[in-house]
Amino acid sequence: MKKTKDKIIEKIIFICGILSIIFVALIFGFLFKEGIEFFRDFGLKNFLGSAVWRPTSVPPQFGILSLIAGSVLVTVGACIIAVPLGIAAALYISELAPKAIRDILKSLVELMAAVPSVVIGFVGMVIVAPYVRIILNLPTGLTAFTGSLVLAFMAMPTIITISEDAIRSVPKQYKDGALALGATNWQAIRRVVLMAAMPGIIAAIMLGIGRVIGETMAVMMVTGNAAHIPHSIFEPVRTMTATIAAEMGETVRESLHYRSLFAIGLILFLITFIVNFVADLFSGRSKNQ
Amino acid sequence: MTKIKMNIANLNCFYAKKQVLENISLHINANQILSIIGPSNSGKTTFLRTLNRMSDFDADYWRKGKVFLDEKDIFSMNMEKLRSRVGMLFAMPMPLPLSIFENVAYAPRRLNLLKGKPKKYIDEIVETSLRDASLWDEVKDRLDESAMKMSGGQQQRLCIARILAIDPEVILFDEPCSGLDPISTAKVEETMMALKKRYTIVLVTNNVKQASRVGDVTAFFLMGKLIEIDDTAKLFVAPKQKETNDYITGRFG
Amino acid sequence: MKKLSPKLSQKLAVSLLTVAMIITLIPVSAIIFIIVKNGISAISWEFLFSMPTQGMRAGGIFPAIVGTIAIVSCSIATALPIGVCAAIYLNEYARDNLLTRIIKLAIVNLAGIPSVVYGLFGLGIFVMFLGFGVSIIAGALTLAIMELPVIITTARSALSNVPNSFREASLALGVSRWQTIRHIVLPNALPGILTGAILSIARVAGETAPILFTAAAFYTPNLPHSVFDQVMALPYHLFIISTQIPNMPKNIIFGTALVLLVMVLSMSLIAIIARIIFRKRRKW
């Protein structure tokens, strides 16, 4: 009797084990099903080949290019800020900080990751955006640049934590070897530690990018939501995520507009899938060293 | 006439493509101590782990050949049943993160040995097992303390008590004294000698002197092969093989 | 350009890294400071425990707090057992084969899917396909899937921190695999598993996008009666009152943000502190 109970439990455990695969497949399946219907009705070429997003005009237009441009612009901006800062902070935590401070810093970074995106968006909207407008003398503070600032903050914990892991897992002998040859601490860090940790750091950057591309609420609240191809980073833009979040509430279920948002979701899914896959390859490589 | 407890026939063991045991055939007498000696990497531990199929958990492990316990093939036996009949003591003391009492009571509880017995029965089992492992007097006043706080020698004897609590037939000792001081070692050896009245014992050891002190029969393994097996008295006085002689006189290993 | 001397560049680098570390920490401190400073005046017994009035421009945020607690507790109740079982499978049973590699890849990708895409999925499967409607259960299940990767990863590392010798000792006594996991491995991994659970609760409690189309209501006059009701939720409420309602009193918005922030950060802090304590107390 005990035997059969064990067997049943082990079956359940196995099913839970493969559930992750099922969920990923289900998520992809649902997005794909709605997306495919949208492409059939509207045309993949019209979707990917146009920058005009006017879902409520007659006839409606669903050109995703301006949304992709918005997402890319905000993401690139965020990375330019977050990547160097994040790696530097990770180096500080793992190589320079005294042990007592290190744990506190790591906890703080973890707390950073916990701040809800809607709170960050709110602060970005009422504090950061007005400053951006005044300092840069812009017509509005709700711009791609503001979005980049806010997103940089949100990407930082991911980049710091994972880079720090990678840096810390570099065997100590590597650095000691360089120090023994007369290198300064910084030379040893830059030439040896940083190089050895590089695959892990690249994985960290990829995951940071994934986080930024997928971020929704904060971005929606600070980027001004103008669906057009921006000419500079100081203009309002609209990202793919914000479009889904802002418009889903107003669509009629099963309509073309409703499905177009699933199509955007599908594109987002594919982008993050690739980003995470690449990140996983790199982090796998850093672990094998 | 001694009874044969375990019989090993043409046993070959492998890790992936590497063969670690070659064609081992021997038998283990009941109520005797068989010591297995040999340099490291001679396959002693793999041999021992095969006898109660702990090796089944090792990655890439596979084997050919047969092992019999009371003339029954252990490889077609239920694994848990086999392990409750063939207990194993590891090189490093491995107490569970429980109290001293619960360490000994653990297996009887899990194996349902207490069903239909009065509540106090478990206390009896714990006391007898600790006594038989010559640990009772040292710990009887602190049975509720964590086993992790005991000394290494005490931990090792606790692990013996833990095995005795399920009353197996064979006990496998895998270099049980390798981490212990001489006094603790003497105590463990004493315990082993006392135990062979009730149990069949297989002892793997790197310590040739230990084998000569406690073993009734001694086997010498080298590079995965059984070089020689004989009564301990004979093997140490007049080994038949040159390798055995070299090893026990300390010329290599 | 002249090359800097090694000594000078060492000094320069150290100061740059230190500055970077400080810059990194400024925003989080600023956010906490600003929200506490502007929001503390709104916090009162009444604010926390009464219904909103006057089109949410006055009164309290009680239903939003209740809604968030309802959604989050339902989601963790679903995700924790599934996630722990998945972690047990990966750590205790899975062999290094193709299936295991695919599972790991799936977990990595589950962790990377944007929250708004989870929202779409929840809308598609729970709200529409399974017909739960916009409801606590639809939102909770959506969040549960989102929590899974965090729970699986933390539970798995908690399990793998349990020394192998414990498993061997138990198995060698003839105790079955599951019994060994149940009585030896799980109890010792429990602290780590629970910290992971708290961390993932903290994370989803602040999520807005996944519940946007699956659970959250703009305003409900009553508290929910069953898991099939829609509810107000704290993060969504903050989003609405800060973007959709004109002439919203500032201190109510900041007060709402403060409550949300305190909820989320205190849970994270508890998890972090618990982890430190457990690590110190570990018996092996």
Side-chain angles (χ1 to χ4, degrees), chain C residues 35-93:
Chain C
I35 287 179
V36 171
K37 182 175 155 259
N38 293 295
I40 195 84
S41 65
I43 305 296
S44 67
W45 196 256
E46 195 213 341
F47 183 68
L48 294 176
F49 293 106
S50 68
M51 306 294 284
T53 52
Q54 298 171 30
M56 298 195 265
R57 288 186 191 86
I61 52 168
F62 188 55
I65 296 177
V66 170
T68 288
I69 292 175
I71 296 174
V72 170
S73 33
C74 287
S75 77
I76 195 73
T78 319
L80 190 59
I82 295 178
V84 171
C85 285
I88 291 176
Y89 175 73
L90 282 174
N91 201 60
E92 309 289 328
Y93 290 98

Side-chain angles (χ1 to χ4, degrees), chain C residues 122-191:
Chain C
L123 172 66
I125 188 163
F126 300 124
V127 177
M128 312 276 287
F129 185 74
L130 294 176
F132 294 154
V134 175
S135 59
I136 294 178
I137 179 106
L141 292 175
T142 310
L143 288 180
I145 301 178
M146 216 177 142
E147 279 166 2
L148 269 187
V150 179
I151 295 182
I152 294 176
T153 319
T154 49
R156 198 171 159 222
S157 87
L159 290 171
S160 68
N161 275 338
V162 176
N164 229 353
S165 63
F166 293 176
R167 293 181 187 86
E168 290 231 305
S170 172
L171 292 168
L173 290 164
V175 177
S176 72
R177 225 164 202 217
W178 165 247
Q179 294 275 321
T180 300
I181 294 168
R182 158 85 184 69
H183 292 280
I184 296 297
V185 181
L186 268 186
N188 285 293
L190 203 58

Side-chain angles (χ1 to χ4, degrees), chain C:
Chain C
M1 205 179 88
K2 228 183 87 185
K3 225 170 166 236
L4 291 174
S5 82
K7 248 210 179 122
L8 191 62
S9 74
Q10 155 85 12
K11 271 195 182 146
L12 202 63
V14 168
S15 20
L16 276 180
L17 292 188
T18 313
V19 170
M21 187 73 242
I22 294 167
I23 293 178
T24 310
L25 293 176
I26 288 175
V28 65
S29 347
I31 289 175
I32 294 173
F33 174 75
I34 291 167
I35 287 179
V36 171
K37 182 175 155 259
N38 293 295
I40 195 84
S41 65
I43 305 296
S44 67
W45 196 256
E46 195 213 341
F47 183 68
L48 294 176
F49 293 106
S50 68
M51 306 294 284
T53 52
Q54 298 171 30
M56 298 195 265
R57 288 186 191 86
I61 52 168
F62 188 55
I65 296 177
V66 170
T68 288
I69 292 175
I71 296 174
V72 170
S73 33
C74 287
S75 77
I76 195 73
T78 319
L80 190 59
I82 295 178
V84 171
C85 285
I88 291 176
Y89 175 73
L90 282 174
N91 201 60
E92 309 289 328
Y93 290 98
R95 301 200 163 237
D96 189 13
N97 55 21
L98 186 67
L99 179 68
T100 309
R101 252 172 286 159
I102 296 177
I103 292 176
K104 285 181 187 162
L105 187 65
I107 293 169
V108 165
N109 281 293
L110 222 41
I113 293 175
S115 55
V116 72
V117 174
Y118 276 105
L120 281 180
F121 173 65
L123 172 66
I125 188 163
F126 300 124
V127 177
M128 312 276 287
F129 185 74
L130 294 176
F132 294 154
V134 175
S135 59
I136 294 178
I137 179 106
L141 292 175
T142 310
L143 288 180
I145 301 178
M146 216 177 142
E147 279 166 2
L148 269 187
V150 179
I151 295 182
I152 294 176
T153 319
T154 49
R156 198 171 159 222
S157 87
L159 290 171
S160 68
N161 275 338
V162 176
N164 229 353
S165 63
F166 293 176
R167 293 181 187 86
E168 290 231 305
S170 172
L171 292 168
L173 290 164
V175 177
S176 72
R177 225 164 202 217
W178 165 247
Q179 294 275 321
T180 300
I181 294 168
R182 158 85 184 69
H183 292 280
I184 296 297
V185 181
L186 268 186
N188 285 293
L190 203 58
I193 292 174
L194 289 183
T195 8
I198 302 173
L199 272 183
S200 72
I201 291 177
R203 183 144 327 154
V204 297
E207 280 291 350
T208 317
I211 57 170
L212 214 48
F213 339 116
T214 55
F218 190 76
Y219 172 74
T220 55
N222 298 309
L223 294 177
H225 296 295
S226 83
V227 289
F228 293 103
D229 287 346
Q230 39 179 304
V231 283
M232 295 173 70
L234 216 40
Y236 182 59
H237 187 68
L238 173 61
F239 171 63
I240 298 173
I241 60 177
S242 61
T243 59
Q244 321 266 304
I245 299 181
N247 303 324
M248 193 68 204
K250 271 271 171 310
N251 70 328
I252 288 195
I253 313 182
F254 275 104
T256 308
L258 178 58
V259 174
L260 178 60
L261 199 62
V262 166
M263 248 167 100
V264 167
L265 290 191
S266 58
M267 269 190 290
S268 309
L269 209 57
I270 289 172
I272 292 169
I273 293 172
R275 190 173 52 204
I276 294 170
I277 292 174
F278 287 136
R279 217 169 265 169
K280 280 204 181 123
R281 272 229 312 247
R282 196 136 75 188
K283 288 169 257 164
W284 59 86

Side-chain angles (χ1 to χ4, degrees), chain A residues 16-262:
Chain A
C16 289
I18 57 170
L19 219 47
S20 300
I21 304 179
I22 297 174
F23 284 140
V24 171
L26 264 181
I27 292 172
F28 177 75
F30 256 87
L31 297 172
F32 190 74
K33 177 186 140 252
E34 300 285 349
I36 252 342
E37 281 187 42
F38 171 76
F39 296 143
R40 210 185 46 214
D41 295 345
F42 187 72
L44 186 60
K45 228 176 94 190
N46 298 338
F47 180 64
L48 290 177
S50 150
V52 185
W53 182 266
R54 279 199 208 108
T56 48
S57 67
V58 189
Q61 303 211 41
F62 300 101
I64 196 182
L65 279 188
S66 54
L67 310 181
I68 292 182
S71 284
V72 169
L73 186 62
V74 174
T75 304
V76 169
C79 285
I80 291 174
I81 303 167
V83 168
L85 270 181
I87 296 174
L91 279 176
Y92 181 84
I93 293 176
S94 53
E95 298 288 327
L96 296 183
K99 205 191 163 308
I101 298 180
R102 182 183 309 164
D103 289 341
I104 296 174
L105 286 176
K106 284 171 84 172
S107 306
L108 279 176
V109 171
E110 215 166 317
L111 281 186
M112 254 167 97
V115 179
S117 73
V118 64
V119 171
I120 297 172
F122 170 60
V123 172
M125 195 173 68
V126 297
I127 311 283
V128 182
Y131 276 110
V132 168
R133 182 172 60 82
I134 293 163
I135 293 172
L136 299 169
N137 193 21
L138 299 169
T140 169
L142 302 176
T143 64
F145 176 67
T146 324
S148 296
L149 282 180
V150 165
L151 284 178
F153 171 70
M154 302 183 77
M156 217 93 85
T158 309
I159 298 179
I160 296 177
T161 323
I162 297 170
S163 305
E164 202 262 339
D165 263 359
I167 294 167
R168 206 160 25 93
S169 62
V170 174
K172 206 174 162 301
Q173 300 94 293
Y174 287 23
K175 191 180 167 189
D176 289 348
L179 291 175
L181 291 173
T184 62
N185 195 24
W186 169 243
Q187 284 173 323
I189 291 173
R190 196 178 56 136
R191 303 251 161 103
V192 180
V193 178
L194 211 51
M195 285 303 124
M198 206 33 99
I201 292 177
I202 292 175
I205 296 171
M206 295 306 285
L207 289 173
I209 292 175
R211 174 114 170 76
V212 169
I213 290 183
E215 175 45 47
T216 311
M217 299 313 287
V219 156
M220 177 159 70
M221 293 163 88
V222 302
T223 52
N225 286 323
H228 66 112
I229 301 257
H231 299 289
S232 92
I233 197 167
F234 300 110
E235 287 177 22
V237 291
R238 174 179 245 196
T239 64
M240 293 184 275
T241 49
T243 306
I244 300 175
E247 294 181 6
M248 186 50 93
E250 285 136 37
T251 61
V252 179
R253 301 282 150 89
E254 314 282 332
S255 67
L256 195 61
H257 187 191
Y258 172 88
R259 295 210 164 105
S260 73
L261 300 181
F262 275 86

